[in-house]
Amino acid sequence: MRGARIKGGENSYYHCISRVIDRKFVLKRQEKDRLVELLVQASTFSGVEVVTYVMMGNHFHLLIKANPDVVVTDPMLADRLKCLYGQSRTADIMTLLGDLKSRGDFASAEEYKRRFTCRMQDVSQFMKLFKQLYTRWHNSKYKRKGTLWEDRFKSVLVESGQALKMMAAYLDLNPVRAGIVTDPR
């Protein structure tokens, strides 16, 4: 049985890594570019801040910051939903939320809102969304089915300060150590 993830509180940093199944080198330039686009999309929706990242040929590293104590207001919710659902679907969601509130059904409104906010500011939900978005794109592009990623993602809670700087340097130097580039910039 798998163990529960260790999660920090306010302003927690995590080093997350995930590998392609069988450690195959399937992530070329176009795939890495798409990974970055979807990373931005997942980050915008979830509110998880990406500090730094590196996309390698068969895995990726992320250094992210999550703040589970953030209260998502309705305007924040609308902005976040747009990046995942688009303008029209977001308008429908926000209209339904407004209708529930205008009828005085605040409990139902909060429950409806929670269907979306429960996936925000959470490292596991962020990684799930990010990996799912990419897997759908990759499987569609290459006409394949099934999982793309090996196991669950791995994560380490990172202390702020010197440890955070060292972890960021570790990520930035990963392509140098692999011989892909000579300069981390």
Side-chain angles (χ1 to χ4, degrees):
M1 181 163 56
R2 70 185 193 187
R5 295 224 177 260
I6 296 173
K7 294 186 179 177
E10 184 178 355
N11 295 317
S12 297
Y13 293 91
Y14 300 87
H15 171 216
C16 301
I17 183 172
S18 194
R19 296 186 186 284
V20 172
I21 199 159
D22 296 330
R23 299 185 182 208
K24 293 179 180 173
F25 286 83
V26 299
L27 305 174
K28 307 294 186 230
R29 173 55 41 210
Q30 181 184 22
E31 290 77 13
K32 291 176 188 178
D33 289 345
R34 185 64 178 153
L35 265 170
V36 172
E37 290 171 9
L38 294 172
L39 178 62
V40 170
Q41 186 178 0
S43 173
T44 302
F45 172 77
S46 69
V48 170
E49 178 186 339
V50 178
V51 178
T52 190
Y53 63 89
V54 63
M55 304 300 176
M56 303 295 286
N58 66 351
H59 69 283
F60 64 81
H61 295 266
L62 305 176
L63 185 56
I64 59 176
K65 177 182 174 188
N67 187 354
D69 300 330
V70 168
V71 175
V72 179
T73 65
D74 288 356
M76 285 171 65
L77 177 65
D79 287 342
R80 290 182 179 190
L81 290 174
K82 282 179 201 164
C83 74
L84 202 59
Y85 296 108
Q87 185 72 33
S88 177
R89 176 75 177 115
T90 298
D92 292 345
I93 292 167
M94 296 310 292
T95 298
L96 179 55
L97 184 62
D99 288 348
L100 289 168
K101 287 181 178 184
S102 69
R103 286 185 289 195
D105 192 354
F106 297 107
S108 294
E110 280 306 307
E111 182 56 35
Y112 183 64
K113 183 176 177 178
R114 185 169 152 38
R115 288 176 46 192
F116 303 101
T117 59
C118 69
R119 296 183 288 154
M120 297 176 181
Q121 296 301 133
D122 182 270
V123 174
S124 295
Q125 291 295 322
F126 164 75
M127 290 296 291
K128 177 182 176 183
L129 175 63
F130 174 50
K131 290 170 61 173
Q132 282 179 340
L133 288 171
Y134 182 78
T135 299
R136 273 187 245 145
W137 177 83
H138 187 91
N139 284 354
S140 175
K141 179 173 176 51
Y142 294 103
K143 298 179 182 19
R144 65 178 300 277
K145 292 182 181 182
T147 188
L148 179 64
W149 304 103
E150 181 179 277
D151 299 326
R152 294 167 70 192
F153 72 95
K154 294 174 182 38
S155 67
V156 175
L157 191 57
V158 181
E159 291 183 24
S160 59
Q162 189 62 25
L164 183 64
K165 292 176 186 173
M166 295 297 288
M167 186 59 72
Y170 170 79
L171 267 67
D172 290 343
L173 293 172
N174 204 297
V176 176
R177 283 190 303 278
I180 298 169
V181 298
T182 56
D183 187 335
R185 283 180 265 155

